[in-house]
């Protein structure tokens, strides 16, 4: 089966068909729960039904004596065996320079439970059915305590304490920006606009639920963990610490992963317990979450409550922005739970605008809810939503057209590189260009005619926009260190040329749907002049490739791809030296092009395959000057983030009788830098837009006041469907990224960053004539209908 592009080219910039799709579409993908593990025991976790309770007593006797049960373990059993706390990857500091509050996170609860669904015990049995039945027999005596689920309420003096040692449930009182300068800007303002908004909590729902299979080899003492992780090397590093297993005796393999969206980035209690149980019983064990477990225990996303003010001059120029946010981190800190609502959120509040003064205070709050961590966009959607909603409100209150208000304040192309007041240096962008393209593509200027046509049919029509900018490509290590990271952020690649001339690439990033096997192969194929079929991409196995940081924050191409091209560059340098030796020419006279080495001015050539064979034969190599073999390992650390940006426009229609909103058009114009595979990029953009629209209109995780999860199934948590979307108009207008050799910017998250405020702004545009000025996400039909009724009740009669 051909995997080439439509025009037969495998080069970068061509829409090469995804090579990995062959095995997925034919049912041959290799997922963790597909593994054949004969004799493996099954794990079932006993989970807390309470959001906050003391564990008075656990009786495991009946479960342990059930047929087919091998063992039952509690949190205290693991603590007695020396199992430690699962670490947070970032230690941020408060406004006084003090480290954040960092309570322990043991794999099984010890002494107290702090959210519904927290694992309290694990039952190990011969079969899934027998183990599930025995888990029902574990008797736990709880003394229930008051719970708090709202981040705002959690910080009140009278709120129940999630952790006794954490005052007012504040993990960290964090700030960024110049408060005095920002206050002065407000003192000089002609207009001040304020807003209060909530960024709704979301539950990630990958097609494949989390799973783990842990194997132990008594002969060698080696542990092997198969897990659905975006970061296998980081899982190994954390497990080594928590379980005191030397990394040399611990292998983590993440095979095909059916979606992650950030929720499979952290290390979880379940894979930690599975690894420990396998070693304790000297056996193999396996676990796979059902969807109900996933709703309860997979990390959630977003959950911010913010108030913000914008200061404007008389002509609409932005003078200052002041923000205060309560960010819910849940009951326990996970890998990125502290950096996302701080640096990955607040640093982006400048957006694509030239705002001279910004100050943001974030209270990271513990609550009796599941942990909040990375979800597609991770902090950047929250910042963009706040800023774009505030700008639309400013336009309405000042009377300045919303397009014109944005245009006046956008950073101009000739102002790059641009340093924001929050310390980010944007390297490139053309925000006015993406805005103008989006306006034309959406036929913005003709909208009022379409609105009138809708009104004639009894419908309310609205149009809204969002001009956004985000960080992508992971965090440079030097910046990560300043931000509190407990590790570097470089990425690795190992390029191994075989004697046949085929190439294996071992990458530290990991695909869970992004198409790495195709895009990375294109990078190698183009540079070495070999067919894409001769390049194999290998990832997700800590024993096969060098240490890497996995796939999060749109870093795969920007950092992982850059490591690959640098490694290929080193291969070409060495191959050229070998060619010079074989061709009896000076190194500087040998040139490599289209897979051939040529001597300048002479009709003497060797192919890349010839050099590969010679590298391993080395019959006449001067081995003191030219080492045999053709293999390179590279670690790439970028000097800066990349900064994708663009303009998203949404047009929709509302039935005022039912409140149902129908999206008629979405135009997304994105600056993604250089694009390697347009087809894969368009797929990423479509997926991000779908998830962003899901947040805006459908998805909302809801806890009641006692901490019970009310949206714990697909009956209660509305996922978007194909029929909810129009045909997206996806366009790109790229400016080269100046900070990586590929000139690329991340693309995987821009849809979820840019489109939610465009949707809500369009809704409010449609409802403005009825007097509706605000609506929260998710704007469900019932919520829209209620807003219409409330506005009608306020109308004087």
């Amino acid at each position: 089966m051909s995997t080439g592009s439509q025009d037969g080219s495998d080069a970068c910039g061509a829409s090469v068909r995804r090579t990995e799709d062959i095995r997925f579409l034919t049912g041959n993908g290799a997922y963790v729960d597909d593994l054949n593990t004969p004799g493996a025991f099954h794990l079932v976790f006993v989970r807390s039904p309470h959001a906050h309770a003391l564990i008075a007593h656990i009786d495991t006797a009946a479960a342990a004596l059930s047929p087919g049960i091998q063992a039952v373990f509690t949190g205290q059993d693991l603590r007695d065996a020396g199992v430690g706390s699962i670490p947070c990857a970032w230690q941020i500091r408060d406004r006084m320079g003090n480290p954040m509050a960092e309570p322990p996170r043991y794999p099984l609860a010890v002494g107290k439970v702090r959210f519904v669904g927290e694992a309290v015990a694990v039952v190990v049995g011969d079969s899934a059915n027998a183990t599930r039945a025995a888990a029902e027999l574990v008797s736990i005596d709880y003394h229930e305590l008051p719970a708090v689920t709202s981040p705002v309420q959690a910080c009140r003096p009278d709120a129940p304490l999630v952790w006794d040692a954490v005052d007012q449930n504040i993990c960290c009182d964090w700030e960024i920006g110049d408060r005095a300068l920002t206050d002065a800007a407000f003192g000089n303002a002609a207009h001040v606009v304020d807003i209060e908004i909530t960024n709704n909590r979301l539950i990630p729902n990958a097609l494949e639920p989390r799973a783990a299979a842990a194997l132990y080899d008594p002969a060698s003492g080696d542990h092997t963990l198969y897990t659905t992780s975006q970061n296998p090397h980081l899982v190994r590093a954390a497990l080594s610490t928590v379980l005191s297993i030397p990394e040399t005796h611990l292998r983590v393999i993440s095979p095909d992963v059916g979606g992650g969206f950030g929720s499979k980035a952290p290390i979880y209690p379940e894979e930690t317990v599975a690894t420990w149980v396998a070693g304790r019983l000297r056996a193999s064990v396996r676990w796979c979450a059902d969807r109900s477990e996933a709703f309860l225990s997979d990390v959630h996303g977003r959950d911010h409550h913010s108030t913000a003010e914008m200061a404007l001059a008389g002509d609409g120029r932005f003078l200052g922005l002041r923000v205060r946010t309560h960010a819910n981190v849940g009951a326990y800190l996970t890998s990125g739970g502290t950096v996302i609502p701080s640096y990955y959120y607040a640093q982006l509040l400048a957006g694509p605008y030239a705002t001279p003064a910004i100050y943001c205070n974030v209270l990271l709050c513990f609550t009796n809810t599941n942990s909040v961590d990375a979800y597609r966009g991770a902090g950047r959607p929250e910042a963009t939503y706040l800023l774009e909603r505030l700008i639309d409100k400013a336009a309405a209150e000042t009377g300045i057209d919303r397009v014109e208000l944005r245009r006046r304040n956008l950073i101009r192309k000739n102002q790059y590189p641009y340093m924001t007041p929050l310390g980010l240096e944007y390297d490139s962008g053309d925000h006015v260009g993406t805005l103008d393209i989006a306006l034309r593509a959406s036929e913005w200027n003709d909208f009022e005619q379409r609105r009138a046509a809708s009104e004639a049919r009894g419908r309310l029509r609205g149009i809204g926009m969002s001009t956004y900018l985000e960080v992508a490509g992971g965090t440079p290590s030097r910046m990560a260190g300043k931000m509190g990271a407990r590790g570097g952020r470089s990425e690795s690649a190992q390029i191994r040329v075989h004697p046949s001339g085929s190439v294996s690439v071992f990458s530290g990033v990991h695909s869970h749907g992004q198409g790495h096997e195709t895009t990375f192969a294109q990078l190698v194929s183009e540079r070495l002049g070999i067919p894409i079929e001769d390049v194999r991409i290998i990832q997700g196995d800590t024993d096969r490739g060098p240490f890497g940081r996995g796939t999060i924050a749109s870093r795969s191409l920007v950092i992982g791809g850059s490591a690959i091209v640098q490694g290929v560059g080193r291969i070409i340098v060495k191959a050229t030296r070998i060619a010079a030796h074989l061709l009896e020419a000076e190194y500087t006279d040998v040139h490599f092009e289209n897979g051939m080495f040529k001597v300048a001015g002479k009709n003497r050539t060797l192919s890349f395959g010839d050099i590969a064979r010679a590298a391993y034969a080395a019959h006449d190599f001067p081995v003191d000057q030219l080492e045999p073999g053709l293999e390179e390992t590279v670690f790439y650390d970028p000097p800066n983030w990349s900064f994708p940006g663009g303009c998203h426009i949404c047009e929709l229609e509302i039935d005022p009788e039912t409140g149902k909103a129908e999206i008629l058009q979405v135009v997304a114009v994105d600056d993604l830098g250089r694009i390697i595979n347009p087809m894969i990029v368009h797929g990423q953009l479509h997926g991000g837009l779908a998830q962003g629209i899901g947040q805006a209109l459908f998805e909302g995780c809801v806890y009641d006041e006692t901490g019970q999860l009310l949206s714990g199934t697909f009956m209660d948590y509305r996922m978007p469907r194909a029929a909810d979307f129009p045909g997206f108009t996806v366009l790109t207008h790229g400016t080269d990224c100046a900070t990586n050799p590929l000139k690329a910017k991340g693309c995987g998250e821009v849809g979820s960053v840019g489109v939610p405020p465009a949707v809500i702004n369009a809704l409010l545009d449609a409802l403005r004539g009825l007097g509706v000025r605000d609506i929260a996400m998710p704007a469900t039909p019932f919520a829209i209908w209620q807003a219409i009724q409330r506005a009608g009740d306020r109308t004087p009669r």
Side-chain angles (χ1 to χ4, degrees):
M1 174 184 252
S2 172
T3 56
S5 64
Q6 299 286 338
D7 61 5
S9 170
D10 293 339
C12 296
S15 291
V16 176
R17 294 184 179 91
R18 291 174 25 134
T19 57
E20 51 266 72
D21 283 353
I22 297 172
R23 70 174 184 274
F24 295 142
L25 294 174
T26 56
N28 291 306
Y31 299 94
V32 170
D33 204 44
D34 294 329
L35 292 174
N36 183 18
T37 51
F41 300 138
H42 292 260
L43 303 184
V44 170
F45 290 89
V46 180
R47 300 186 181 275
S48 169
H50 302 294
H52 198 197
L54 295 172
I55 302 173
H57 179 67
I58 303 177
D59 186 349
T60 63
L65 294 173
S66 295
I69 299 304
Q70 298 295 321
V72 182
F73 298 107
T74 67
Q76 193 59 53
D77 293 328
L78 271 67
R79 291 290 297 124
D80 292 344
V83 175
S85 170
I86 298 173
C88 177
W90 301 77
Q91 185 190 60
I92 65 171
R93 294 180 176 270
D94 68 15
R95 62 173 77 191
M96 304 301 295
N98 302 310
M100 66 194 190
E102 191 174 2
R105 198 322 167 49
Y106 297 116
L108 297 177
V110 177
K112 182 189 272 194
V113 291
R114 292 179 171 86
F115 70 95
V116 171
E118 182 174 2
V120 180
V122 63
V123 182
V124 189
D126 296 342
S127 70
N129 288 338
T131 311
R132 277 193 288 266
E136 297 289 335
L137 300 177
V138 175
S139 177
I140 304 174
D141 183 11
Y142 293 103
H143 290 179
E144 195 170 359
L145 300 170
V148 62
T149 60
S150 159
V152 175
Q153 293 175 356
C155 295
R156 293 174 180 167
D158 59 347
L161 291 180
V162 180
W163 295 94
D164 293 341
V166 179
D167 187 40
Q168 289 188 239
N169 294 312
I170 298 174
C171 167
C172 192
D173 182 352
W174 183 90
E175 67 179 1
I176 192 170
D178 189 324
R179 186 171 189 170
L181 183 66
T182 305
D183 289 345
F186 276 82
N188 296 322
H191 305 283
V192 174
V193 181
D194 63 80
I195 197 169
E196 182 175 357
I197 59 171
T198 296
N199 207 285
N200 46 319
R201 179 183 278 236
L202 301 177
I203 300 177
N205 278 289
L207 193 61
E208 178 199 22
R210 288 189 297 116
L215 289 66
Y216 178 75
D217 182 354
S220 63
D222 289 346
H223 294 259
T224 301
L225 172 68
Y226 291 86
T227 182
T228 51
S229 175
Q230 299 171 214
N231 298 324
H233 282 278
L234 297 187
V235 169
R236 184 182 67 171
L239 283 178
S240 175
T241 300
V242 175
L243 300 180
S244 300
I245 300 172
E247 287 187 87
T248 50
H249 286 278
L250 180 56
R251 180 183 186 183
V252 176
I253 301 171
S254 184
D256 290 329
V257 174
F261 312 117
S263 69
K264 293 176 183 173
I267 179 174
Y268 279 92
E270 292 85 0
E271 55 200 345
T272 307
V273 171
T275 305
W276 180 82
V277 170
R280 177 67 171 251
L281 299 183
R282 303 169 69 84
S284 299
V285 301
R286 60 187 301 150
W287 166 80
C288 183
D290 61 30
R291 192 60 66 176
S292 294
E293 276 188 296
F295 271 91
L296 289 170
S297 62
D298 290 5
V299 293
H300 296 167
R302 319 287 194 248
D303 205 350
H304 284 195
H305 181 87
S306 300
T307 56
E309 301 171 285
M310 177 173 281
L312 298 92
D315 63 356
R317 300 284 177 180
F318 300 163
L319 300 177
L321 177 66
R322 200 159 47 196
V323 180
R324 181 175 173 84
T325 294
H326 288 76
N328 196 339
V329 298
Y332 295 95
L333 299 180
T334 50
S335 297
T338 55
V339 73
I340 290 165
S342 53
Y343 289 101
Y344 268 76
Y345 159 65
Q347 278 195 130
L348 267 294
L349 287 170
Y353 305 106
T355 307
I358 302 174
Y359 173 77
C360 180
N361 173 217
V362 181
L363 294 177
L364 284 74
C365 311
F366 288 114
T367 64
N368 294 114
T369 65
N370 188 16
S371 300
V372 177
D373 202 291
Y375 182 60
R376 200 170 194 166
R380 289 92 85 198
E382 295 93 310
T384 300
Y385 183 70
L386 182 148
L387 191 57
E388 292 301 302
R389 286 287 314 279
L390 187 56
I391 291 171
D392 255 32
K393 189 174 183 187
E397 293 189 11
T398 61
I400 302 173
D401 178 77
R402 51 192 163 153
V403 175
E404 178 58 26
L405 184 60
R406 287 175 168 84
R407 191 185 297 277
R408 289 182 193 179
N409 289 283
L410 287 171
I411 301 165
R412 297 305 193 259
K413 191 174 181 179
N414 61 5
Q415 291 179 276
Y416 283 97
Y418 182 89
M419 179 65 74
T420 78
L422 297 177
L424 291 180
E425 184 177 81
Y426 302 159
D427 66 295
S428 65
D430 183 12
H431 307 293
V432 174
T434 54
L435 171 63
D436 287 339
I437 293 169
L439 291 173
R440 289 194 298 270
S442 66
E443 299 181 325
W444 181 279
N445 291 337
D446 298 327
F447 170 72
E448 290 303 329
Q449 299 173 25
R450 300 193 294 275
R451 192 202 297 269
S454 293
E455 288 178 352
R457 295 184 290 104
R459 297 291 190 267
L460 304 173
R461 198 177 188 115
I463 193 168
M465 70 163 43
S466 165
T467 44
Y468 76 93
L469 182 144
E470 68 138 329
V471 295
T475 310
S477 291
R478 62 182 177 83
M479 297 181 185
K482 296 176 182 178
M483 292 158 56
R486 287 172 162 147
R489 288 299 180 269
S490 62
E491 195 45 74
S492 67
Q494 185 180 72
I495 316 298
R496 183 178 300 169
V497 180
H498 303 288
S500 64
S502 61
V503 178
S504 293
V505 177
F506 300 85
S507 174
V509 300
H510 184 43
S511 178
H512 42 279
Q514 293 87 347
H516 295 171
E517 293 176 40
T518 304
T519 305
F520 289 173
Q522 284 181 264
L523 295 176
V524 177
S525 170
E526 180 182 72
R527 283 160 176 76
L528 295 182
I530 61 177
I532 195 171
E533 290 81 7
D534 287 351
V535 182
R536 186 184 180 200
I537 307 300
I538 301 164
Q539 52 194 346
D541 186 338
T542 60
D543 268 15
R544 300 186 70 182
F547 183 90
R549 287 281 167 180
T551 293
I552 51 173
S554 301
R555 72 191 299 275
S556 295
L557 180 66
V558 174
I559 302 183
S562 293
I564 289 171
V565 299
Q566 287 199 346
V568 171
R570 294 184 189 180
I571 290 289
I572 292 172
V573 168
K574 183 174 181 181
T576 303
R577 295 191 182 281
I578 296 172
H581 169 72
L582 296 176
L583 294 169
E584 299 179 336
E586 293 294 325
Y587 171 79
T588 54
D589 291 336
V590 178
H591 303 284
F592 181 62
E593 186 177 358
N594 296 326
M596 299 297 295
F597 294 88
K598 302 176 183 178
V599 180
K602 298 182 180 179
N603 189 25
R604 297 163 62 191
T605 64
L606 288 171
S607 69
F608 182 77
D610 294 333
I611 300 303
R613 284 188 291 274
Y616 291 95
H619 287 163
D620 62 347
F621 276 21
V623 291
D624 57 333
Q625 303 172 28
L626 190 60
E627 184 182 62
L630 199 51
E631 182 174 319
E632 294 287 345
T633 299
V634 171
F635 285 83
Y636 174 77
D637 204 337
N640 198 359
W641 286 277
S642 73
F643 298 93
C647 179
H648 291 178
I649 293 176
C650 173
E651 188 169 336
L652 50 74
E653 201 174 61
I654 299 170
D655 179 351
E657 297 297 321
T658 65
K660 186 179 187 314
E662 179 186 359
I663 295 180
L664 305 173
Q665 173 182 243
V666 170
V667 173
V669 182
D670 300 296
D671 176 2
L672 307 173
R674 185 186 178 208
I675 293 174
I676 304 302
N677 188 312
M679 181 174 63
I680 288 178
V681 166
H682 281 208
Q684 288 282 298
L685 297 176
H686 281 231
L689 291 170
Q691 284 183 274
I693 293 169
Q695 175 173 14
L697 295 181
F698 308 113
E699 298 181 55
C701 173
V702 180
Y703 285 95
D704 70 12
E705 292 183 354
T706 70
Q708 291 298 320
L709 181 62
L710 302 182
S711 52
T713 72
F714 287 135
M715 294 294 290
D716 310 296
Y717 187 92
R718 165 75 153 87
M719 294 287 287
R721 303 174 177 88
D724 295 317
F725 305 121
F728 299 134
T729 299
V730 172
L731 305 170
T732 56
H733 175 65
T735 59
D736 286 349
C737 180
T739 59
N740 67 72
L742 287 172
K743 302 179 181 179
K745 304 178 183 182
C747 76
E749 296 167 297
V750 296
S752 63
V753 172
V755 84
V759 174
I760 299 301
N761 285 340
L763 275 171
L764 293 175
D765 181 57
L767 298 171
R768 193 169 305 279
L770 300 180
V772 178
R773 298 292 180 262
D774 187 32
I775 194 163
M777 298 190 292
T780 63
F782 183 59
I784 296 171
W785 183 86
Q786 281 185 310
I788 293 171
Q789 303 311 306
R790 284 194 298 267
D793 291 341
R794 291 193 299 267
T795 303
R797 288 177 171 82

